[in-house]
Amino acid sequence: MYYIYFPYVTLLAALMLYDCYQLKQPRWWALAVLLAPVTTPYFIFKSRKESGVKFFMFFIVTFCAVTGGELFLYSKGVNRHHYAHQMPEIRQMIHLSDQLKTTTMKLDHELGILENLTKIESRAHEIKSTFEFVEHVINLLKINQEAIKQMVTYSSDHETFFIGRNLEWVLTLRNFYTNRNVIQHYKSLQNYLDRFADVLKYTYVNFYNITEYKSLEHLKNYDEYYLRYRRAIDSHNRFNTKRIDFQNVFADTYPDLKSFLPGERQTDTFRLWE
């Protein structure tokens, strides 16, 4: 709390000190403003009379903006500040949830890029670069899954501790990542990425047999790889829609946990690679 407030009142007091110097008013007015910013309008009109209206309006607008900003920051970080200096189990849980949030946001960012790469020209070097990027996303998914596993395992191992201290939010957060909709989403995502990598790798390795020589054997194999990929993407888009609906309901039901969850999730429907 007070991320914006203290710099703001310090600047306000400095401006008042400058104004007092220019208008030959008592310097202690600046100290009064520093300690109680709400006194600012009194000193404005005392020194400037009617001409102080525009300065008064400036104060009102900025003061409301700072107050609103502080309330927003407080609502986003209230849980962390409340528990930051408490027992090691709580601090460790917050660390694990932050780590999970970071890996999830990285994964979602790269999935957004991947969605834009799914329509590429059929040239060997482009297929190779897309395959390498899919492998990169698969690695991020593994890191994200490990972060989920660590958080779930830790919260389960210390479940009695969290329940005994009325910290049900920890178990509620765990329930989000162990929910069937979320688990199915991750499984379908893994399957989609694996099948995408398979078809890209086969196409790259057998590029000329498929595009130049039109080998029936290679074309048949390509069709099989592509069919598996198509089934995987259709399945993932369905499970992803269910996960989105679930997360929206979860966030509305437990607004205090929003600071522990990614602000945005990958929501676009993946297109078929052509």
Side-chain angles (χ1 to χ4, degrees), residues 163-181:
I163 293 177
R165 286 160 180 77
N166 296 320
L167 300 175
E168 285 82 4
W169 65 265
V170 173
L171 307 182
T172 302
L173 183 64
R174 181 190 67 188
N175 292 341
F176 172 83
Y177 286 101
T178 56
N179 181 271
R180 183 170 178 267
N181 290 295

Side-chain angles (χ1 to χ4, degrees), residues 3-60:
Y3 298 117
I4 308 174
Y5 175 80
F6 284 130
Y8 172 72
V9 296
T10 300
L11 177 61
L12 200 64
L15 291 175
M16 180 57 69
L17 182 62
Y18 176 77
D19 207 39
C20 290
Y21 176 77
Q22 291 290 319
L23 301 177
K24 296 181 172 52
Q25 298 292 347
R27 307 294 194 273
W28 63 265
W29 287 10
L31 179 61
V33 168
L34 179 65
L35 298 177
V38 293
T39 62
T40 303
Y42 170 78
F43 295 119
I44 289 176
F45 287 113
K46 186 173 179 63
S47 60
R48 294 179 177 273
K49 307 301 182 183
E50 291 81 4
S51 64
V53 173
K54 62 179 181 179
F55 294 98
F56 170 72
M57 294 304 298
F58 173 78
F59 166 77
I60 292 296

